[in-house]
């Protein structure tokens, strides 16, 4: 329950930092976490404070358990399984997304074209691999190595896994977002990552799946235009929120289960 309490503290810290920044900018107080109207410099500071909240929670969890953070998290990334599990996850996520995009392109539901000048395109693509690894790494440490691992210590898998899935999905809607119907896609995504972690007991498989998915989605983003209905192809950077995206995630989850089994 300690992990769940620390996860719940993150939006509180985000709201407190937002409140201070709004006050400093002379903007009205609000309950909803949204900093769209803050000056650019303030938004950058808010992102830094949010990342600091993530780091503080990740460090606090093992320390409150009487463990070294390095020793605790190192236990979830054993080098012996890095190449097999990590590469399997990255390759599987890439394959499924490429096939999904191919099916949509052949059916006329997405279009690919160069939509930026060369310098802008290189700039956007250069940071994609690092962003994929960092974003996936932070979320996997937070929601699997900390939250789900902690839940599995307190509850049986039949209870811990659903809680981990729902909390992971819900965390993507703490801030104000443009659309909420994509929640089903985040539930399916959480199911994939949580099952991968439970099956292996390490982060490599879920990290590979997560980073591989971000890599393909961010890499395709400068080129792709979604022309099909949202219920089919999802929305913008959430193609997994459409019907076939969710089906693809469920098939990939089944693939992971058949390949790795439960522990």
């Amino acid at each position: 329950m300690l992990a769940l309490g620390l996860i719940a503290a993150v939006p509180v810290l985000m709201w407190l930092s937002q409140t201070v920044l709004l006050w400093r900018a002379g903007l009205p107080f609000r309950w909803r976490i949204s900093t769209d109207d803050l000056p650019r410099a303030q938004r950058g500071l808010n992102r830094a404070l949010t990342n600091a909240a993530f780091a503080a929670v990740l460090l606090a969890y093992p320390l409150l358990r009487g463990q070294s953070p390095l020793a605790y998290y190192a236990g979830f990334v054993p080098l012996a399984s890095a190449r097999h599990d990590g590469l399997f996850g990255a390759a599987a996520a890439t394959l499924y997304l490429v096939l999904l995009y191919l099916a949509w392109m052949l059916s006329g539901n997405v279009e690919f074209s160069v939509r930026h000048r060369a310098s802008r395109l290189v700039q956007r693509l250069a940071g994609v691999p690092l962003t994929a690894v960092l974003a996936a790494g932070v979320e996997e440490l937070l929601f699997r190595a900390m939250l789900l691992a902690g839940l599995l210590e307190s509850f049986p898998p039949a209870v811990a896994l659903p809680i981990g899935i729902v909390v992971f999905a819900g965390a993507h809607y703490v801030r104000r977002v443009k659309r909420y119907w994509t929640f089903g896609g985040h539930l399916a995504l959480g199911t994939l990552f949580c099952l991968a972690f439970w099956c292996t007991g390490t982060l490599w498989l879920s990290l590979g799946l997560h980073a591989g998915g971000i890599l393909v989605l961010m890499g395709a983003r400068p080129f792709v235009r979604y022309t099909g209905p949202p219920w089919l192809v999802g929305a913008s950077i959430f193609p997994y929120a459409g019907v076939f995206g969710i089906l693809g995630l469920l098939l990939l989850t089944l693939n992971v289960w058949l390949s790795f089994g439960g522990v």
Side-chain angles (χ1 to χ4, degrees), residues 69-82:
L70 182 60
Y72 176 78
Y73 293 113
F76 294 103
V77 285
L79 294 180
S81 59

Side-chain angles (χ1 to χ4, degrees), residues 231-242:
W231 67 265
L232 178 65
V233 298
S236 184
I237 61 171
F238 304 117
Y240 49 79

Side-chain angles (χ1 to χ4, degrees), residues 61-62 65 67-76 144-146 149-150 153:
Y61 181 67
R65 291 162 51 98
Q67 296 176 262
S68 158
L70 182 60
Y72 176 78
Y73 293 113
F76 294 103
R144 253 63 69 182
M146 193 185 90
E153 291 178 355

Side-chain angles (χ1 to χ4, degrees), residues 43-67:
R43 291 201 301 270
L45 179 56
N46 183 69
R47 284 192 295 270
L49 291 172
T50 298
N51 291 333
F54 292 152
V57 165
L58 285 171
L59 290 172
Y61 181 67
L63 289 174
L64 290 172
R65 291 162 51 98
Q67 296 176 262

Side-chain angles (χ1 to χ4, degrees), residues 4-249:
L4 197 57
L6 287 173
I7 288 287
V10 172
V12 175
L13 293 173
M14 291 170 63
W15 179 81
L16 288 173
S17 64
Q18 168 186 282
T19 300
V20 172
L21 292 174
L22 288 171
W23 172 72
R24 289 187 60 187
L27 296 172
F29 162 90
R30 70 170 67 98
W31 287 106
R32 185 63 178 163
I33 298 178
S34 174
T35 56
D36 293 343
D37 55 346
L38 279 174
R40 185 174 181 178
Q42 299 275 32
R43 291 201 301 270
L45 179 56
N46 183 69
R47 284 192 295 270
L49 291 172
T50 298
N51 291 333
F54 292 152
V57 165
L58 285 171
L59 290 172
Y61 181 67
L63 289 174
L64 290 172
R65 291 162 51 98
Q67 296 176 262
S68 158
L70 182 60
Y72 176 78
Y73 293 113
F76 294 103
V77 285
L79 294 180
S81 59
R83 184 167 60 180
H84 178 268
D85 293 3
L87 290 179
F88 179 97
T94 299
L95 176 62
Y96 269 76
L97 277 169
V98 168
L99 291 176
L100 193 62
Y101 275 129
L102 179 61
W104 284 341
M105 183 179 69
L106 294 176
S107 61
N109 285 290
V110 300
E111 297 176 354
F112 285 90
S113 62
V114 178
R115 298 188 291 126
H116 304 277
R117 64 181 186 275
S119 59
R120 174 62 174 162
L121 194 59
V122 170
Q123 183 182 13
R124 292 193 64 174
L125 294 177
V128 168
L130 181 60
T131 300
V133 172
L134 289 178
V138 170
E139 290 198 4
E140 290 308 310
L141 287 172
L142 197 64
F143 292 105
R144 253 63 69 182
M146 193 185 90
L147 176 63
L148 186 54
L151 289 171
L152 287 167
E153 291 178 355
S154 303
F155 304 104
V159 176
L161 287 170
I163 295 175
I165 291 166
V166 171
V167 171
F168 170 77
H172 291 81
Y173 299 86
V174 169
R175 292 182 182 274
R176 185 178 66 83
V177 296
K178 294 179 180 178
R179 55 189 70 86
Y180 291 89
W181 61 266
T182 53
F183 186 70
H186 280 105
L187 285 175
L189 199 63
T191 300
L192 171 65
F193 297 150
C194 287
L195 186 74
F197 177 80
W198 179 60
C199 285
T200 60
T202 75
L203 285 180
W204 289 118
L205 180 57
S206 59
L207 181 61
L209 289 163
H210 204 153
I214 294 175
L215 184 70
V216 175
L217 293 176
M218 290 191 65
R221 193 176 183 184
F223 304 97
V224 68
R225 186 168 70 90
Y226 297 89
T227 56
W231 67 265
L232 178 65
V233 298
S236 184
I237 61 171
F238 304 117
Y240 49 79
V243 171
F244 284 95
I246 292 176
L247 287 176
L249 284 171

